[in-house]
Every structure is written in C-alpha cells, then in structure tokens.
Amino acid sequence: MSEGFHLSTQESGVSLRNDVPAVPTVLVLDAAPSEPPPRLGSLTGRARVVHAADATELRDQLPSADVLLVWDFLSDAVREAWPAAAGDARPRWVHTASAGVDRLMFPELIDSDAQLTNARGVFDLPIAEYVAALVLAMGKDLPRTLAFQAERTWRHRESQRIAGTRACVVGSGPIGQAIVKQLKALGITTALVGRRPRAGIHGPDDLDRLLARADWVVCAAPLTEDTRGMFDARRFGVMQPAARFINVGRGPLVVEADLVAALEKRWIAGAALDVFEHEPLPADSPLWSAPGLLVSPHMSGDTVGWRDELGRQFLELYGRWESGQPLMNVVDKKRGYVPGN
C-alpha cells in the first residue's frame, strides 16, 4: 500500500546505512502453500529474492539476507530461527506484513541493530468498517434475525437506536482513529483512549470512567506487556449491563475466561471477537457457545485485494531502503509499536 498515514522523519526513523550491496538479498517467509506469495516482480535485477517455508529453511537463509519480509505474519518462525543468525549477518531490515508486531518482540531481535517496519495504514479503514458493521449488527439484533430465518420463525422484536449512544475506543493509533471516524458517522459519541493524554485523546487514568458510561467498548490497542490482559474481570465489571465489547486488536489483550464469565453472568450485553489468544480458535473453546458472543476468524482487516496492497507497500518501502532514504512505519522495538500516536 501507499501508507495513508505518513510520519515525519523524526517519528518514523532514520536513514539506513548506504552500504547496500549491488544486488541485495530479500528473504521472504512464505505463508501456507494455499496462500498467494507477494508479487515482487519489480525487484528483478534489483534484488535476489529467496524464500523460506518454515523455521528450518529460514535459519539456513538468514545469515545471507539483507532484508527479511515476514509475509507469514502469523508464524513464530522468525523467533525460532533468529538466534542462529549471529552478528552482522542478520538482516538489517525486517518488515512484517501486519499491523501487530508482537510475534517479533523477542530479545534477540529487539536488541539487534535491525530496523523493524510494519504494515501500518493498510488495515485502518477495513477494520473500522468491520467495527461499524458489528455495532450495527448487534444493535439491530441481526444475528437473531438470521437464526430465526433459518428456523422459519416469525418473531417481531424491537432493536436499538445507534445514534446517540456512546463508545469508548481503546488504542489511539491509525486503526483506532479510523474506528472513531466511522462510529461518529453513525451518530455515536466517541471517546478515544491512548497511552498518554493529549488533545482529543484520553489517557489510561480516564479509562474506567469512560468504560462505565460506554454502550460500545472497542479494543484496538497494540499488544505489549502493559496491555496484555487489560480487559479482565475487573474491567468487564466496570462496564454497564447494556454495554457490548468488541476486540479487533490482539487476542491476549482479553482474559477470555473472564469475558465468558461476564457474558454468562450478564455483566455485559454482548461481545464480538475477531482475534483470539489461540488461532485458529479450538473447537472445544467455550467462546463458541458464550451467550451473546460473535466469533469471526481474524478477518476484520482482510478485504478483497489486501495482499496486493501489502505487496505494494513493501515495494514502496524497499525503494526507500534501496536509495538510503528513511523508512516509514519504523517500530520502536522497546515499546512494541510505531511512535506517533
């Protein structure tokens, strides 16, 4: 993609070294064979592109790679293979085709001099649209409408008026900001919570107060040591009984057993999860049958053509790296996200 949310040089990183080899090696961690690989044809003559299917192949190829493209962003292969590539032989730049970088936050990569970039900007609007769809679906009771239709049951009900309700969006990055924009378009009064307070954004100290007033609580935060398990029994207990909870951030942000209990005890009215601690979600997970819970298979950001957009974004970044320009979307490896929000 062409990043729709560009950071300044000071925010996004500094220029890489200019000692780029004549023909750099780009190592691609491929996704499953059923998934299409990235379209990197424009790198012909500009780079030697090699592929790895798993941690074993990755370990063999890493010492000679200048750039690592983590196309399979759901894999832990980089974590498993990285220690075998020692010293300066490691890639100087690692790019993950995902917004979240938590799978790459292991000590060896964090402490290395490799720059890490992510796919910030590709998923913002699709995820925001998905959240808006979930709000409308839950407010208008569409899941039960479809269930009654399948049963050929005519059951009249009243649904919720969306305009005039309140939402609390947790996570003030581009995805959270896009969600706020979509919800405001529906007439929802929306508060945005980030890691620190500033103009238009609440800080963590305001979170409980905002949760207690919200009809919709949307989690779009990055996964860090500070945010892991932030939505637990206490936080669900703070919410009002009519509230609905949506998570499109990362699965471990939620203590799933506590969410199931909150739904069973009717502490909250419903929830929707698109991300989970373990994916795919096991068939015996209690989340499947939790009352009022919508389960979707980590698809909120995946719209038609999303892989091509990810490929175009990498090629744009590669052009900058190749010419020694500062990269965009540079992750602060100590914090676990791209600075700027």
Side-chain angles (χ1 to χ4, degrees), residues 7-32:
L7 297 175
S8 68
T9 300
Q10 289 76 18
E11 292 174 323
S12 62
V14 296
S15 178
L16 292 172
R17 299 193 302 265
N18 290 321
D19 58 340
V20 177
V23 182
T25 296
V26 175
L27 173 58
V28 181
L29 175 61
D30 289 328

Side-chain angles (χ1 to χ4, degrees), residues 151-310:
E151 298 169 359
R152 298 175 179 263
T153 298
W154 181 278
R155 183 171 298 176
H156 180 270
R157 284 126 37 232
E158 295 178 347
S159 64
Q160 182 179 8
R161 177 174 291 183
I162 303 301
T165 58
R166 296 175 179 270
C168 174
V169 177
V170 182
S172 61
I175 292 175
Q177 293 184 30
I179 291 170
V180 167
K181 185 176 181 179
Q182 290 291 315
L183 296 184
K184 285 185 175 179
L186 297 176
I188 300 173
T189 301
T190 306
L192 182 60
V193 180
R195 67 184 181 279
R196 58 180 177 82
R198 56 233 190 253
I201 300 175
H202 296 268
D205 291 345
D206 292 335
L207 180 55
D208 286 354
R209 175 178 61 83
L210 294 170
L211 292 180
R213 302 172 58 192
D215 301 288
W216 314 98
V217 176
V218 183
C219 179
L223 178 61
T224 68
E225 288 308 309
D226 292 333
T227 61
R228 183 180 297 273
M230 68 181 299
F231 285 98
D232 56 9
R234 190 189 70 78
R235 285 260 160 75
F236 292 125
V238 168
M239 299 178 196
Q240 58 179 323
R244 293 179 174 91
F245 173 75
I246 298 171
N247 186 20
V248 289
R250 281 291 181 266
L253 296 168
V254 177
V255 180
E256 293 174 346
D258 289 356
L259 174 59
V260 171
L263 291 168
E264 291 176 343
K265 296 174 182 177
R266 301 296 191 269
W267 287 2
I268 59 176
L273 300 181
D274 186 56
V275 288
F276 304 86
E277 186 166 3
H278 300 290
E279 298 181 6
L281 186 65
D284 60 354
S285 170
L287 292 169
W288 288 109
S289 57
L293 177 61
L294 297 179
V295 170
S296 59
H298 204 151
M299 58 180 284
S300 61
D302 301 346
T303 53
V304 175
W306 66 284
R307 293 182 182 87
D308 289 340
E309 195 169 0
L310 288 171

